[in-house]
């Protein structure tokens, strides 16, 4: 059995935030800025429990990942914002061999006790508004951890096979530190949406 190596901040199978700082020392200022932008993204992945360490089945290989870089410029064309995004190399997967979309969705619904909930036609309701809760107004700590786990699982689905939930998951990911009851319910709704449509939707919902 082989232990799975999780994505690291350096973009390789081994590394840490310290590696980013070490690498930055030998790069030019622009490259240093880009390397530094990886830190918060990587730490956010850890805090949101996006992955778990598991053991690979015999004969299987872990899907690799890579960093995508983006630079926003100001009105003068000068670099102003450096962004990084850690993504899995989904093209390495083989359908029905490395993942089963419907099986994963059923597992999510069971994990969060949503198997029997009614179907929904959209990931989020049309009236949903992202309002950050004031200190002390969020859900209890246990529900917060559950929310973080749920959003991490949904993020995995959005990146790998379900881009139709990307916007909804992106909204929910912004409030993982202090979600409200409404936002917790919205995360559950996204799981219910996946359960309602276990394969990627190609048409816009009619309701």
């Amino acid at each position: 059995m082989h232990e799975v190596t999780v994505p690291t901040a350096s973009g390789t199978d081994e590394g840490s935030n310290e590696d980013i700082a070490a690498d930055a020392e030998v790069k030019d200022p622009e490259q240093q800025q880009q390397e530094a932008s990886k830190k918060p993204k990587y730490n956010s992945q850890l805090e949101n429990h996006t992955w778990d360490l598991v053991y690979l089945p015999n004969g299987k290989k872990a899907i690799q990942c890579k960093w995508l870089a983006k630079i926003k410029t100001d009105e003068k064309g000068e670099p102003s914002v450096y962004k990084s995004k850690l993504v899995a190399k989904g093209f390495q997967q083989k359908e029905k061999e490395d993942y089963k979309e419907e099986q994963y969705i059923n597992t999510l619904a069971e994990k969060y006790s949503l198997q029997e909930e009614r179907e929904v036609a959209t990931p989020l309701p049309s009236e949903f508004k992202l309002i950050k809760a004031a200190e002390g107004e969020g859900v209890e700590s246990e529900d917060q951890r559950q929310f973080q786990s749920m959003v991490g699982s949904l993020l995995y689905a959005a990146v790998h096979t379900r881009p139709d939930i990307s916007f909804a998951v992106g909204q929910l990911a912004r409030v993982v530190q202090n979600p409200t009851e409404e936002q917790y319910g919205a995360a559950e709704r996204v799981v219910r949406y996946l359960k309602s449509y276990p394969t990627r939707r190609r048409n816009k919902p009619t309701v």
Side-chain angles (χ1 to χ4, degrees):
M1 299 289 280
H2 302 284
E3 189 169 355
V4 174
T5 51
V6 299
T8 66
S10 62
T12 64
D13 286 342
E14 298 181 355
S16 64
N17 286 339
E18 288 74 15
D19 295 327
I20 296 177
D23 289 344
E25 293 178 1
V26 295
K27 299 179 184 297
D28 63 38
E30 186 170 303
Q31 288 177 310
Q32 290 180 16
Q33 291 272 18
Q34 195 66 66
E35 289 294 329
S37 70
K38 295 177 181 179
K39 266 189 179 181
K41 283 293 183 181
Y42 180 67
N43 289 336
S44 176
Q45 298 274 26
L46 294 179
E47 292 170 3
N48 295 337
H49 308 287
T50 304
W51 57 70
D52 295 309
L53 286 175
V54 297
Y55 287 91
L56 283 171
N58 287 328
K60 298 296 182 179
K61 294 182 179 180
I63 300 299
Q64 297 176 341
C65 64
K66 66 177 180 179
W67 284 99
L68 298 181
K70 184 176 182 180
I71 301 176
K72 289 189 175 182
T73 56
D74 57 23
E75 62 276 3
K76 297 180 180 179
E78 297 293 328
S80 59
V81 178
Y82 295 81
K83 291 189 174 183
S84 295
K85 184 177 181 181
L86 184 64
V87 299
K89 296 182 179 180
F91 61 85
Q92 295 177 333
Q93 298 181 110
K94 296 180 181 179
E95 190 172 3
K96 297 182 180 179
E97 187 172 316
D98 289 321
Y99 68 89
K100 291 183 180 180
E101 183 176 358
E102 188 169 353
Q103 187 188 56
Y104 180 74
I105 291 170
N106 288 335
T107 300
L108 282 187
E110 183 177 353
K111 179 179 181 180
Y112 301 110
S113 303
L114 298 170
Q115 310 97 307
E116 306 302 324
E117 294 292 324
R118 65 182 178 86
E119 295 185 353
V120 292
T122 58
L124 291 178
S126 57
E127 67 274 12
F128 178 81
K129 292 182 179 180
L130 187 71
I131 301 176
K132 293 187 177 181
E135 187 68 28
E137 293 184 357
V139 297
E140 298 294 331
S141 57
E142 183 176 345
D143 288 337
Q144 180 185 356
R145 289 191 293 269
Q146 182 88 327
F147 180 85
Q148 291 172 342
S149 173
M150 200 182 317
V151 171
S153 298
L154 291 170
L155 179 62
Y156 179 88
V159 169
H160 287 81
T161 62
R162 297 302 297 262
D164 51 325
I165 66 170
S166 294
F167 175 78
V169 178
Q171 291 286 295
L172 297 172
R174 295 169 62 184
V175 293
V176 291
Q177 299 303 324
N178 191 30
T180 63
E181 291 286 351
E182 179 187 9
Q183 291 156 356
Y184 188 96
E188 291 185 323
R189 180 189 171 100
V190 180
V191 177
R192 289 163 52 203
Y193 167 78
L194 292 178
K195 188 73 169 59
S196 304
Y197 303 94
T199 56
R200 181 182 175 186
R201 299 196 69 179
R202 299 186 183 279
N203 300 319
K204 293 183 179 179
T206 56
V207 292

